[in-house]
Amino acid sequence: MSERTAVNSSQETVLNGVNVTKLFDTIEVIKGNAEIARFKFRNSNKWIMGGHNRSHIDSFYGALQENTREEPFVMDNDEPPLLLGEDKGANPVEQVLHGLAGCITTTLVYHAAARGIKIHNVETGFEGDLDLRGLLALPGARRNGYEEIRVSVKVKADATREEIEELVEFATGHSPVFDIVSNPVPVNVTLEV
């Protein structure tokens, strides 16, 4: 283990705002019981009017137990006026980009901390191409969702360019949201009346 990745077990090591000691402790616990790594995340959503709807995110299952936040996260979805909405929140496809951005950034920062790499700044940009003909059931669209998403990443760190390139590749290769948007995921819909 290099000096940059060494962890002193008598005290906690925090790097990039990540408790590296607890990160490695968590990895060891999961190695001993893989069921601890199984999570179920939830979102409940209610329509308000037009394109405006609201999600509440409060409970999830993880580490072999139910977990409930003291205050749920409340997120509004809407459409811009150009798409007949009132702009009361980012639209759902924009929120997908938000989720992708957050997941790639978090994955990059956590793995940098685990490798002993100090991060000074991470900035990402996301742009996706979407053809409304898919949503509107009109001919000509290749698909209903994004046809392509482009990501730009800027990282300032105490690392070589090669190490940063490897971190970015690792982050995109291990980000759960990157995997979700890059590979088909079975989605089962149940109608409740």
Side-chain angles (χ1 to χ4, degrees):
M1 194 180 287
S2 74
E3 183 178 291
R4 287 177 21 172
T5 58
V7 176
N8 182 346
S9 59
S10 65
Q11 55 183 300
E12 291 185 346
T13 300
V14 176
L15 182 60
N16 305 329
V18 178
N19 187 318
V20 179
T21 306
K22 287 183 179 178
L23 174 63
F24 283 122
D25 289 347
T26 300
I27 291 169
E28 289 305 313
V29 170
I30 290 171
K31 285 179 181 177
N33 181 358
E35 284 301 307
I36 292 172
R38 312 257 334 142
F39 277 69
K40 292 182 186 191
F41 292 101
R42 304 179 184 109
N43 174 2
S44 61
N45 182 279
K46 188 168 182 174
W47 173 66
I48 297 173
M49 183 63 66
H52 188 198
N53 55 84
R54 182 169 291 142
S55 291
H56 287 82
I57 302 169
D58 59 357
S59 68
F60 64 94
Y61 176 85
L64 303 174
Q65 64 186 353
E66 283 295 323
N67 297 272
T68 304
R69 294 177 172 99
E70 288 184 28
E71 290 290 324
F73 295 113
V74 178
M75 301 168 66
D76 281 29
N77 302 284
D78 200 358
E79 297 291 339
L82 187 62
L83 294 174
L84 310 177
E86 296 182 11
D87 236 0
K88 295 185 185 255
N91 74 21
V93 293
E94 291 168 321
Q95 295 212 27
V96 167
L97 296 180
H98 169 71
L100 183 58
C103 199
I104 288 174
T105 300
T106 300
T107 304
L108 187 147
V109 169
Y110 278 30
H111 283 281
R115 295 172 188 205
I117 298 173
K118 171 102 173 116
I119 299 288
H120 298 284
N121 188 41
V122 177
E123 293 180 30
T124 54
F126 293 77
E127 183 176 63
D129 300 325
L130 190 135
D131 186 337
L132 286 182
R133 292 177 294 179
L135 168 68
L136 299 171
L138 298 172
R142 291 188 299 174
R143 59 180 299 164
N144 300 337
Y146 283 124
E147 296 170 353
E148 181 182 32
I149 297 173
R150 289 169 300 285
V151 181
S152 65
V153 182
K154 283 196 321 191
V155 179
K156 288 185 182 175
D158 292 344
T160 66
R161 178 170 179 86
E162 292 77 26
E163 288 173 314
I164 294 171
E165 286 173 355
E166 205 279 336
L167 263 178
V168 170
E169 184 178 323
F170 191 90
T172 57
H174 290 82
S175 157
V177 178
F178 189 93
D179 178 68
I180 291 166
V181 300
S182 299
N183 299 293
V185 177
V187 178
N188 301 305
V189 179
T190 305
L191 175 63
E192 297 178 15
V193 248

